[in-house]
């Protein structure tokens, strides 16, 4: 057998094994967690419910996203019920929209918009529309960017993460035929490309802009090691986010930006056996990984693979596979009595020496595996 064929066979076998393990683990987790909204497990269990703890928290959509992915792949009703429960609980956040920020994309794309896409529920469409209006209203037309967070001290702040919120605006324009939402998304993407993506394909996490002119004043390290470093989850937000902007607009400049970041990400991940570090430009010691960055980057690489000619696909597909396989081998916890699959995530480089499973790591891991098996649903 040709070497390539052998590799493809091995990959298929691995994917099917991992899918089997995901099904066992998610069935057990869904029975324990139901429609609570989890974030980080404590002693192997998701004890907290963010519907109570912080309904405005940016990661509140990911559990629902996992539930919709599993419902789509297996047809098992319990996943749909859990996702619907989360979506309804999140209505409490709309009661105080002043507390919402740009992450309404992360929060409602995988709850209401996913529900609407899969079931056509009109109430879910309304929720998606409310979220899109909140996001569009954060646009600063003087600087052509979407403001990230609230508070008097960050009026001119934009962050690379917002690339993953833009699909909410693209969806709204596609759905309503109102071009304003897509126009805002593109203006923001153009500014991010100019101010946050560096010429070598690495990215800034944060851009502090003059809110009256859009001039870039500072680019602090944010959740990465420091100024001019390279926070890997930020790189993965850019990688996948620009690929998604290409999907929704057909503008080749976004695919080129996604590729530039992808090549940088692949080269750096290869240096540590495809287990991505938390920051690609941090000192050698201590070693912090971030499995969540690897999982999101893998999804972005698979997205790019869908848009390039046949002879280019291999780079993106094989790199996604290498990252997922390496992380599964080193970081996956398949004990069905414990919650969370991918360990060794890192919310931020500073502030805590630990490494932990984080809900979005599992979302992107599941999305990537299902996509490689043609069992996934598109939620961006
Ligand atoms: N969007 C915040 C983070 O990636 O941690």
């Amino acid at each position: 057998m040709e070497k390539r064929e052998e590799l493809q066979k091995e990959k298929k076998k691995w994917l099917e094994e991992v899918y089997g393990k995901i099904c066992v683990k998610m069935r057990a987790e869904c029975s324990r967690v139901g429609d609570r909204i989890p974030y980080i497990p404590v002693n192997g269990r998701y004890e907290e419910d963010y519907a109570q703890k912080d309904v405005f928290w940016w990661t509140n959509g990911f559990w629902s996203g996992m539930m919709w992915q599993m419902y789509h792949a297996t047809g098992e009703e319990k996943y749909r019920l859990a996702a619907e429960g989360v979506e309804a609980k999140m209505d409490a956040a709309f009661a105080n929209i002043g507390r919402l920020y740009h992450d309404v994309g992360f929060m409602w794309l995988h709850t209401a918009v996913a529900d609407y896409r899969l079931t056509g529920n009109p109430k879910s469409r309304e929720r998606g529309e409310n979220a899109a209006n909140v996001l569009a209203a954060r646009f600063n037309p003087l600087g052509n960017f979407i403001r990230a967070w609230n508070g008097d001290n960050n009026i001119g702040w934009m962050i690379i993460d917002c690339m993953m919120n833009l699909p909410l605006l693209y969806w709204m324009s596609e759905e309503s035929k109102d071009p304003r939402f897509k126009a805002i998304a593109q203006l923001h993407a153009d500014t991010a490309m100019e101010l946050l993506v560096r010429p070598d394909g690495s990215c800034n996490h944060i851009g502090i802009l003059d809110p009256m002119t859009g001039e870039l004043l500072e680019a602090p390290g944010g959740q990465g090691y420091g100024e001019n470093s390279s926070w890997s989850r930020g790189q993965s937000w850019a990688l996948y986010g620009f690929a998604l902007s290409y999907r929704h607009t057909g503008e080749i400049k976004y695919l080129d930006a996604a590729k530039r970041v992808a090549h940088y990400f692949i080269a750096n991940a290869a240096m540590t056996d495809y287990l991505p570090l938390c920051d690609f430009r941090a000192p050698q010691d201590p070693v912090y990984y971030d499995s969540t960055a690897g999982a999101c980057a893998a999804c972005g690489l698979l997205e790019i693979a869908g848009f390039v000619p046949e002879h280019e696909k291999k780079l993106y597909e094989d790199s996604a596979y290498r990252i997922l396989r390496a992380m599964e081998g080193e970081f996956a916890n398949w004990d069905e009595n414990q919650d969370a699959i991918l360990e060794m995530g890192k919310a931020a480089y500073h502030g805590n020496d630990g490494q932990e499973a984080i809900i979005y790591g599992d979302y992107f891991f599941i999305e990537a595996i299902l996509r490689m098996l043609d069992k996934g649903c598109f939620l961006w």
Side-chain angles (χ1 to χ4, degrees), residues 58 103 106 161 223 231 233 237 347 360:
W58 74 277
D103 285 331
F106 281 118
D161 321 30
Q223 283 161 258
W231 176 50
R233 194 163 60 255
W237 294 145
Y360 41 87

Side-chain angles (χ1 to χ4, degrees), residues 102-103 148-149 157-163 188 192 195-198 202-208 218-235 237-238 279 347-349:
H102 73 147
D103 285 331
W149 298 310
W157 289 42
M158 69 182 298
I159 67 173
I160 196 66
D161 321 30
C162 193
M163 290 306 300
H188 177 91
L195 301 183
L196 300 183
V197 182
R198 305 179 190 128
S202 68
C203 309
N204 294 312
H205 178 197
I206 297 173
I208 303 181
E218 269 180 77
Q223 283 161 258
Y225 172 71
E227 204 177 337
N228 292 319
S229 77
S230 170
W231 176 50
S232 63
R233 194 163 60 255
Q235 319 300 294
W237 294 145
D279 192 309
Y349 185 92

Side-chain angles (χ1 to χ4, degrees), residues 55-107:
V55 76
F56 304 100
W57 186 235
W58 74 277
T59 66
N60 285 353
F62 287 108
W63 173 250
S64 165
M66 287 156 67
M67 297 295 98
W68 284 119
Q69 290 286 0
M70 292 307 294
Y71 172 67
H72 182 264
T74 65
E76 291 172 33
E77 284 292 303
K78 65 165 174 283
Y79 295 123
R80 183 176 62 80
L81 294 173
E84 285 173 354
V86 168
E87 180 184 338
K89 285 179 175 181
M90 283 176 59
D91 281 350
F94 283 133
N96 192 350
I97 58 169
R99 291 208 38 207
L100 290 169
Y101 42 104
H102 73 147
D103 285 331
V104 289
F106 281 118
M107 292 169 75

